[in-house]
Amino acid sequence: MKKDIHPDYHMITVKMTDGTTFQMRSTWGKEGDTLALEVDPTVHPAWTGGGTRLMDTGGRVSKFKKKYEGLGF
């Protein structure tokens, strides 16, 4: 590997939205900095999959299912 081209890899503290913290290695910030998360992956629906609903506005889902019913949708 070439020398002096890689970013500094060091320990930081990550603060979750519920206040819990943990240590991890990162290239973000400086040694000992605290990264406060705005979106917590332990509770956000994008990571947990919660709250997803399929809304059928104007029968679009019904039309799609009828058109492709032989394919197992």
Side-chain angles (χ1 to χ4, degrees):
M1 280 196 289
K2 293 181 182 178
K3 292 184 178 191
D4 300 325
I5 64 166
H6 300 291
D8 181 34
Y9 196 58
H10 50 269
M11 294 297 289
I12 65 166
T13 302
V14 177
K15 183 177 179 184
M16 306 294 264
T17 56
D18 65 357
T20 59
T21 62
F22 63 92
Q23 296 284 319
M24 71 179 297
R25 293 182 59 83
S26 175
T27 57
W28 179 85
K30 297 176 185 158
E31 180 80 30
D33 281 353
T34 300
L35 173 65
L37 296 181
E38 295 177 9
V39 178
D40 193 338
T42 61
V43 296
H44 194 276
W47 286 278
T48 61
T52 58
R53 288 185 290 186
L54 186 60
M55 295 183 68
D56 188 5
T57 55
R60 293 183 188 142
V61 175
S62 301
K63 282 186 203 177
F64 177 84
K65 286 184 177 183
K66 185 176 180 183
K67 184 175 181 179
Y68 298 106
E69 65 189 345
L71 298 176
F73 287 115

